[in-house]
Amino acid sequence: MEKINIKRLAEELNLSTSTISRALQDSYQIGPETKQRVVEMAKKLNYVPNPHASSLGSRKSNTIAVVIPEVFDSYFAQAINGIETVAQEKGYHVLIYLTHERLEQEQAILRAFQGGRVDGVIMSVSAETTAATHMQELRDQNVPIVFFDRTPDEVDTACVTTNDLESSYLATKHLLERRCTTVLLLAISRDLSIMRQRIEGYRRALTEAGLPFTEDNILDCTYDDEVNYELLTKFLKARPYTDGIVATVEKLTTSVYQACRNLGLRIPSDVKVVSFSNSRSASILNPSLTTITQPAFDSGKAAAVLLFKGLKSKKGVPLTEKLVLPSELIVRDSTAG
Amino acid sequence: MEKINIKRLAEELNLSTSTISRALQDSYQIGPETKQRVVEMAKKLNYVPNPHASSLGSRKSNTIAVVIPEVFDSYFAQAINGIETVAQEKGYHVLIYLTHERLEQEQAILRAFQGGRVDGVIMSVSAETTAATHMQELRDQNVPIVFFDRTPDEVDTACVTTNDLESSYLATKHLLERRCTTVLLLAISRDLSIMRQRIEGYRRALTEAGLPFTEDNILDCTYDDEVNYELLTKFLKARPYTDGIVATVEKLTTSVYQACRNLGLRIPSDVKVVSFSNSRSASILNPSLTTITQPAFDSGKAAAVLLFKGLKSKKGVPLTEKLVLPSELIVRDSTAG
DNA sequence: CTGAAAGCGCTAACAA
DNA sequence: TTGTTAGCGCTTTCAG
C-alpha cells in the first residue's frame, strides 16, 4: 500500500494536480461534480494530505502555538482547554511550549517561530520577562500574538486579562469587612504586571479603609512550595498579629494552609484567608476556601477567538485589542466570622 | 528586511546550498572552519530555518503529538509536563489534541497523522475507544504510538501504566482494615482497561476478606460532576449502611465530599473515603484525603523516553515495551479511625 | 570535503 | 471550469 498523493489522484482521475488540490480545498472554481469525483476517489484510495507540503506551498501552517510558564496551575490547564476547543473548531493545530519561567527559553521558542512554524501565538509571559524585543521581533514578521493573564508592559499588544486590580481590591476589602486589621499579601514575581495590579488593588483597599500600606506586610514568595512554606512560617511567627492573608496565586494555597495548621493558627478564627484560585477543590478544603476565581476556560477561548480574528484580517495591522474578563469573589468558610 | 533562507546564505558565502544545509545540521562531511563560517553568517543574517520545508524534504517532522481525553485532571496536566520536558530536551515539538472522550474525534485526529504531521504519538484513549483499528492503521504507517494511563486492550502495544489493580486492591484493603464493612466503588467508563483493573483489585480485596463482591456496590459515574453528585446522593440515601468509598478517578472527589456533607455523613466517622488523585490539595481538604497517587510527571516522561527510543530504532519494528510505574497509597484523615 | 541536481507534495499565479 | 508551470525552502542522492 504505497503512499498516495495528489499526483496519484490526478492520474487516477485524468485531471491535473491543481484541479485536485482545488477540489480538495472546496474551491469555488471547481465544478460540483468534479469535486464529488475527487473527494470520492480520495476517500477510496485513503488519501491523507501532507501538511508540510501544504504549509510550504501556502506559507500557512494552520497551527498556533501556546507558550506558557507552566501547566501545573489549574488556570493554565483550563485555559488550554478553551484554546484547544476553538482551535479544533477552526481546524487548527495547537503546539504547546513551556518556558518553565525562563526568559531564555521563551526567547528561543519565539525566535524559532520566525521560521514560519506557526501562524499565530497565544502566550503568557514568564516571570523573568521584562524586555519585549523577542515578542516584537515576531510581530514584525507578521505573526500575531495574543497575550493572556500575564501580559507584557507594552501598550500596543492584544491581550485577554481579568480585572486583577479590582479583584484584589475586593478580596482585601472583604477581609477588612470581616474585621481583619493586619492583612498579609503574598506576592510572587513583582515584575509581572498582573502582580503589580494585584498589589495595587490591595493597597487601595487598605488606603480606603484608612489603614497603612507597608512593604512589611507583603511577602515575596517563590515558585517552590517548600520554600514558601518556610518563608510563611517564619513570617507568621514573627508577626503573630497577622489576621488576614491574600494569596495572589493558586499555588500558594497549600503552603498557607499547611503553615497555619502547623503553627496552630486556625482558619478563619485566628487568620482569614482568601486566594486567587481556579482549583475545583476550593469548596472542599479544610476549611473551604474563599477565592478569587478567574474565568480561565473563557479567557483561553477569548484569546483564541481574538487570535483567529487577527489571522483573518489583513497582515501588517497588528492586533491590539484588549479584553478584560471579570473574576469572581466566592466567599466560603476561610473568611467566615 | 527580507526573508533570509539557505540559498541566500549560500550566495553570501559562495557555497552551495547543500553545503549550508549540511553545515547547519552539523554534518560530519563538512570541514570545521566551513561550519564555523556558515554558522556565523547565519547568526549575522538572523537566519531562521523553515521547518515545513525541512520536514518535507526529510520526511521527518521533529514533532510528536499528545492525544488525551481532557486536561482538567491533574494527572494529565502533570503528565504533559513530563512529556514536554523530554521533548524540549530532544529538540522536539509537542502538539496537543483533546478528544473530549469522543472516539470519533480520536479517529479523525489519528487519521490525519497518516499524512506525516508527526513522527510519533503519545496517547491515552477516550472512554469510547474499544476498537483499535485507527491506532493500528497509524502504526502500519510506521508512526510509533506509546500509550499511557488509559491503554487499549491490544497486547502488542507500548504502554506506560501504573499498577492499578494492586493500587485499588490496597485502597480497598486499607478501608477494610479500618473496619469498613460495605465499600462502595465509584467507577467510570468500564470499557477502559484501567477501570477494569481497578474494579478487579477491589474485588480481590473483598474476596480475600471473605466479603461478597456485588454489582450493587459499584456505582457507574459519568463525566458530569452534577450528575455524579445526584447519583451518589441517591445511592447513599438508599444504602445508609455504606461506610467506605473508593473513588477510581480524581474528578469524583468533589462529588463525594459534597454529597457526604449535604447528607450529613461525616468523613471519616460515618464513611471513609479514598480516591485516586494527583491533586496537590488532597492534604488540605476537609478532611484531608487518603489518596492513591500516580507518578504522573514520571509517567509522561517515561512515555516520551520510550517513544524517542522507538523513533531512533529501525522502522518497521513496532514498539511493544510495557512499563508499569508504582502508585502510592497516601493515608490521611479521610480514612482515619 | 563540496557541488549539482532532482525532488519532497502541495499551492498558486497565469493561461486557456 | 481546468491545465500548465513555477516555485515554497530544504534535504539528499550521486558525482567529483
Side-chain angles (χ1 to χ4, degrees), chain B residues 5-6 18 21-22 47 50 53:
Chain B
N5 56 22
I6 233 176
S18 54
S21 175
R22 288 186 187 111
Y47 167 72
N50 180 316

Side-chain angles (χ1 to χ4, degrees), chain A residues 45 58 64 80 104 109 114 120 144 256 315 324 328:
Chain A
L45 297 188
S58 66
I64 63 173
I80 289 175
E104 205 181 323
I109 292 164
Q114 291 188 36
V256 172
K315 295 286 184 186
V324 180
E328 199 180 352

